[in-house]
Amino acid sequence: MSFLNNVAANNNRTWFQENKAEYLAAKASFDEGIAKAILAIGKFDPSISHLTAKDCTYRFYRDIRFSPDKSPYKRHFGAYISAHGRKSLHAGYYIHVQPGQCLLGCGAYWLPTNILTSMRNEIMANIDEWRKCVENGQFVKYFGYANDSEWGEDHVDAKGFGITRLKRAPKDFPNDYEFIQYLKMKDYCAWHVVPDDFFEGDEWLQKMVKLFKVAKPMMDFTNAVIDDYE
């Protein structure tokens, strides 16, 4: 957290090179935490057990080619723990460490239209099973109801299910469908914001596992559709 606060205040190459040892120490600490997370998650989801921290973490250097923000470094550490790799469509588990914006996330983001269409058809065909996954008390406790929360550049609600959504029913789907909120979703991502001190010690691993286990049925449902295309 100390390093991330510092890089946010001094996001330039000169400062970074002068303080690279601090970055390397922070990155090593984050990677160690992700390795522990993989072991913990692997106990209930063996599909990710083959991964290493290197498979899941992202570059700290920003791609500024098409961004108005030309600061060269990210202000967070992030890791996507997915059985098919961090660049796959396969739903996985996300850990985000950033002062004031730490969170745990899970699910599948930025799905192409053909997979979204299949997902919507699958939900309609198996609506009772889907509702058991995302309307039970534990899921709602940690992630809320579909499309009830906001995810924006300047503000992220404390919990949520669905980052982006359509205003109307998707093409060729009935607008009067009783559970239209699930068809309007453009992603099937859930998140839960945690305090900055959440990752101190090792107790966070048990809390993380509890939260991710609640989301796993939703992810299994989603992956059953996605994996037909990968």
Side-chain angles (χ1 to χ4, degrees):
M1 290 298 176
S2 174
F3 166 74
L4 291 171
N5 277 318
N6 286 337
V7 79
N10 304 277
N11 206 316
N12 62 79
R13 289 181 175 83
T14 299
W15 180 90
F16 189 84
Q17 290 302 318
E18 292 174 352
N19 295 271
K20 195 166 185 178
E22 185 181 356
Y23 160 69
L24 293 174
K27 182 179 184 302
S29 177
F30 181 74
D31 289 352
E32 181 183 354
I34 297 306
K36 291 179 179 179
I38 292 169
L39 287 174
I41 295 169
K43 292 179 180 178
F44 72 88
D45 185 353
S47 71
I48 60 90
S49 295
H50 64 286
L51 298 171
T52 66
K54 186 177 180 180
D55 297 322
C56 306
T57 53
Y58 294 94
R59 285 169 49 86
F60 196 67
Y61 305 89
R62 297 181 64 248
D63 183 352
I64 60 175
R65 290 174 298 173
F66 308 108
S67 173
D69 178 4
K70 298 303 180 181
S71 53
Y73 308 107
K74 296 177 180 176
R75 297 167 177 83
H76 68 273
F77 287 113
Y80 185 53
I81 303 171
S82 170
H84 294 187
R86 67 177 181 271
K87 295 183 179 181
S88 71
L89 296 174
H90 187 87
Y93 311 93
Y94 180 64
I95 297 174
H96 184 94
V97 175
Q98 182 177 3
Q101 299 182 45
C102 294
L103 62 84
L104 300 174
C106 44
Y109 180 64
W110 209 254
L111 294 175
T113 301
N114 60 331
I115 299 181
L116 276 175
T117 299
S118 293
M119 183 68 184
R120 289 160 178 159
N121 283 322
E122 194 71 17
I123 288 173
M124 290 186 71
N126 300 279
I127 188 61
D128 290 341
E129 178 186 349
W130 175 251
R131 291 182 67 202
K132 288 179 182 177
C133 295
V134 301
E135 292 183 12
N136 65 77
Q138 285 295 98
F139 190 93
V140 173
K141 173 184 174 182
Y142 287 121
F143 306 113
Y145 291 102
N147 303 333
D148 275 359
S149 302
E150 295 297 326
W151 177 292
E153 291 185 8
D154 300 322
H155 172 76
V156 175
D157 284 346
K159 61 182 179 181
F161 179 38
I163 295 175
T164 55
R165 69 212 62 155
L166 298 171
K167 293 183 179 179
R168 300 180 179 85
K171 184 180 179 181
D172 299 327
F173 286 88
N175 197 49
D176 60 351
Y177 180 59
E178 182 179 1
F179 305 104
I180 191 64
Q181 68 269 30
Y182 299 125
L183 308 187
K184 290 181 178 180
M185 298 176 77
K186 296 176 69 175
D187 61 79
Y188 295 91
C189 294
W191 75 86
H192 186 92
V193 172
V194 296
D196 286 359
D197 61 0
F198 178 82
F199 298 101
E200 293 180 4
D202 283 336
E203 291 184 3
W204 68 273
L205 293 164
Q206 294 178 342
K207 297 176 182 177
M208 174 201 69
V209 164
K210 184 177 181 180
L211 186 145
F212 283 159
K213 287 176 74 173
V214 168
K216 190 172 185 298
M218 179 274 290
M219 293 171 59
D220 289 344
F221 187 109
T222 305
N223 279 330
V225 176
I226 293 172
D227 291 351
D228 284 341
Y229 293 84
E230 284 207 319

